[in-house]
Amino acid sequence: MSNRAVLEVIALDAEDAVAAQAGGADRLELVTDMAADGLTPSCATFAAIRAAVDIPLRVMLRVADGFAAGDIDVLVGKARELRAAGADEFVFGFLDEEGRPDLVAVERIIAELDGCAWTFHRAIDRAPDRDALRKALADLPGLDTYLTAGSAAGVDDGIPTLLVESARKGEPGYEPQILVGGGLRLDHLPELLEAGIDAVHIGGAARPYGWSGPVDAAAVREWRAVLDA
């Protein structure tokens, strides 16, 4: 991957994946069931997408809507199956009842991943203390990205937080890349890029006909062009 800004696109199937890569996506987030904001896809779906494209794939590990881990044994089992199928990058992140990172769940999953790179997803936007969450996770192996809007309400409300966190890059807990997603629009990009944020994540923005329709290569290409301008 070059030094250009990373464009990650949500893919539900191989058709999505091919269109996203054709449009200039650098990486895909693989999920199923967007009605629940994205759950773990099947190994068969992963295998079909892996066969269809050659860009990196980050696979969601999440078995229920919300940010509680749910059945950790099920999560660990899915991680094990996906690793056996060839998956080597993942997305997950869970909070306990107080909104702190669920280290029991996270560490059990990490133990299955054998050093694989992973993203802590938007659970950070529901945490009452983002700084404490980052520092609690700082030494976990493989964590290289936070998917965040800066706010549970989305990027419109979260930009001030994103700019502050970007300025702290390199401090303990702030080494992972900020991947901005959650209500992100093209008009947000100039301010974010100027602040040094160099990775964005889109889902619905890549689908002109909504989640019932496929990823559109032209829509992805528009994002690629703005990021590269």
Side-chain angles (χ1 to χ4, degrees):
M1 198 176 295
S2 70
N3 290 327
R4 70 179 183 172
V6 172
L7 175 58
E8 180 180 272
V9 178
I10 294 175
L12 303 178
D13 54 29
E15 180 184 4
D16 283 348
V18 170
Q21 178 168 300
D26 298 293
R27 186 170 72 210
L28 305 178
E29 179 187 88
L30 308 191
V31 304
T32 190
D33 195 358
M34 284 307 300
D37 287 330
L39 304 180
T40 301
S42 68
C43 285
T45 297
F46 166 78
I49 293 173
R50 181 69 290 167
V53 298
D54 58 9
I55 56 177
L57 309 178
R58 293 220 166 179
V59 186
M60 180 67 73
L61 292 173
R62 187 166 177 258
V63 294
D65 199 359
F67 297 102
D71 191 325
I72 300 175
D73 290 334
V74 171
L75 282 166
V76 168
K78 288 182 178 293
R80 185 178 301 128
E81 291 168 3
L82 284 158
R83 283 289 288 131
D88 58 5
E89 300 185 33
F90 294 89
V91 183
F92 56 94
F94 307 105
L95 304 177
D96 64 19
E97 293 179 355
E98 284 73 44
R100 296 175 301 215
D102 185 343
L103 292 176
V104 172
V106 170
E107 289 177 354
R108 282 199 59 194
I109 292 170
I110 289 172
E112 288 294 328
L113 301 189
D114 192 30
C116 290
W118 60 281
T119 298
F120 191 94
H121 66 59
R122 286 197 61 203
I124 188 175
D125 293 337
R126 306 284 178 166
D129 189 335
R130 296 170 64 94
D131 182 68
L133 180 145
R134 283 175 167 272
K135 289 173 179 173
L137 301 176
D139 297 324
L140 295 181
L143 174 59
D144 66 0
T145 304
Y146 280 98
L147 172 58
T148 175
S151 165
V155 173
D156 270 337
D157 289 345
I159 283 182
T161 296
L162 295 171
L163 300 185
V164 168
E165 292 187 347
S166 179
R168 297 185 67 180
K169 187 169 181 62
E171 294 181 22
Y174 292 82
E175 297 93 344
Q177 185 172 48
I178 295 173
L179 174 67
V180 178
L184 183 66
R185 301 189 307 270
L186 285 166
D187 60 277
H188 290 131
L189 295 184
E191 185 175 13
L192 296 172
L193 294 169
E194 178 67 24
I197 289 170
D198 58 1
V200 301
H201 167 99
I202 59 172
R207 298 168 185 271
Y209 304 104
W211 286 104
S212 61
V215 168
D216 180 70
V220 178
R221 199 170 292 118
E222 183 178 14
W223 282 78
R224 181 79 270 161
V226 173
L227 288 169
D228 291 348

